[in-house]
Amino acid sequence: MPRIAALIPLLLLSLALSPQPQRSSSPHTSTGNAAQSPPSPDTSSSNSEAISRIQRSVEDLIAGDPQLSSADIQATVDDYNITLTGTVESYAQHHRVLVLVQQYARWRKIVDNLKTK
């Protein structure tokens, strides 16, 4: 118990010294932070570069897999989805493609438009 009692003043001191959020004097006054500015051109270009890099990686991964040599698959990537279109020979290939692409999906949804012959 004495250890805890010694820590309480330190905790109170750290709370007192921590930066506090600024509050406006009137509840109807805006601080200007509510509206977000549009992304800068540098951000959008780096985002499109990242998307094209992911798309190339997914296509290279599929093309380099010997189990998928007979498959005809195209992948398109955007901010929220990885869309797979084309045809595969079997359900095993279909499953294999989905497992491979999952490595790059992260938060993106995989839209499965693949057809099985």
Side-chain angles (χ1 to χ4, degrees), residues 50-52 54-56 58 75-83 108:
I51 287 173
S52 61
I54 292 170
Q55 184 166 341
R56 277 193 310 272
V58 168
T76 54
V77 179
D78 62 26
D79 288 333
Y80 307 104
N81 301 311
I82 297 177
T83 304
R108 290 177 178 85

Side-chain angles (χ1 to χ4, degrees), residues 17-105:
L17 294 177
S18 67
Q20 299 295 320
Q22 294 182 352
R23 297 183 179 139
S24 82
S25 57
S26 168
H28 303 290
T29 316
S30 172
T31 60
N33 293 335
Q36 295 181 356
S37 62
S40 68
D42 294 336
T43 305
S44 62
S45 67
S46 66
N47 189 32
S48 64
E49 289 172 9
I51 287 173
S52 61
R53 218 173 323 142
I54 292 170
Q55 184 166 341
R56 277 193 310 272
S57 297
V58 168
E59 289 173 344
D60 290 347
L61 188 66
I62 293 170
D65 191 301
Q67 294 178 13
L68 301 173
S69 61
S70 62
D72 177 31
I73 302 168
Q74 297 78 38
T76 54
V77 179
D78 62 26
D79 288 333
Y80 307 104
N81 301 311
I82 297 177
T83 304
L84 301 171
T85 55
T87 53
V88 293
E89 294 289 325
S90 65
Y91 290 109
Q93 280 187 341
H94 194 151
H95 179 71
R96 177 75 178 156
V97 170
L98 295 176
V99 169
L100 288 175
V101 173
Q102 187 64 40
Q103 297 174 26
Y104 289 94

